[in-house]
Amino acid sequence: MTSWRYKKCPVCGAEIEVYANPVPTVDIIIEVKGSGIVLIERKNAPHGWAIPGGFVDYGESVETAAVREAKEETGLDVMLKGLLGVYSNPQRDCRVHTVSTVFVAEAQGNPNAGDDAANARCFSSDNLPNELAFDHGLILAHYIKYLEGARCLCTVQHG
């Protein structure tokens, strides 16, 4: 697998090599005491319910991006509790190869959809929607194992 892509120079038209890197993203499993976890219904493709999250801006830490994305998509101020895992399967997002740092956070209040979210609401871990975007079914399965006391939060998948 090559990490180089080729583009035409906008000035001279020559083909130039451009290094292709995965894009860093964050996902935030937001726990709301007594209500469950917050999921958003995506406004844009790929559609479905998803863990709140998004792209890390240049010059931004993943922690800052997680807090920002949670606020933009749910209206909630979150307190990050810890890291659930890092997910990097090249097929996890059909738009581009992403590497997502997944946090567990807590918040108070009711979520309100914003930014890329058409809807935001709380779900109990035993009543999640069927239509989950990306690899969020896998991430939520790892989260449920974490809730059940698993010390190793997620398995390492090679390839």
Side-chain angles (χ1 to χ4, degrees):
M1 177 183 275
T2 180
S3 296
W4 292 97
R5 302 281 189 259
Y6 296 91
K7 288 176 73 172
K8 286 198 184 262
C9 173
V11 176
C12 70
E15 257 192 10
I16 55 174
E17 291 181 330
V18 179
Y19 197 74
N21 292 312
V23 178
T25 61
V26 292
D27 291 301
I28 314 93
I29 298 173
I30 305 170
E31 302 171 335
V32 178
K33 192 171 189 171
S35 298
I37 59 170
V38 178
L39 296 178
I40 60 142
E41 188 173 20
R42 290 182 49 80
K43 193 184 293 185
N44 304 311
H47 297 284
W49 287 91
I51 300 165
F55 296 98
V56 178
D57 291 339
Y58 186 83
E60 182 178 48
S61 72
V62 291
E63 296 86 356
T64 300
V67 171
R68 175 184 54 76
E69 284 288 346
K71 181 73 169 180
E72 288 176 2
E73 293 191 349
T74 70
L76 296 171
D77 293 310
V78 299
M79 165 99 85
L80 300 179
K81 292 172 57 175
L83 179 67
L84 180 71
V86 177
Y87 295 79
S88 64
N89 183 319
Q91 282 76 48
R92 70 177 305 273
D93 186 331
C94 62
R95 302 168 298 175
V96 66
H97 180 188
T98 63
V99 175
S100 187
T101 304
V102 181
F103 292 95
V104 177
E106 56 188 20
Q108 295 180 348
N110 296 315
N112 292 304
D115 195 29
D116 298 333
N119 191 6
R121 60 178 273 223
C122 291
F123 291 87
S124 64
S125 60
D126 61 352
N127 191 29
L128 298 171
N130 292 327
E131 301 266 335
L132 292 169
F134 310 111
D135 58 352
H136 291 185
L138 173 67
I139 294 170
L140 290 171
H142 290 164
Y143 170 72
I144 291 166
K145 285 183 183 178
Y146 157 74
L147 289 179
E148 293 170 348
R151 296 200 78 216
C152 179
L153 298 180
C154 55
T155 59
V156 175
Q157 297 176 353
H158 298 281

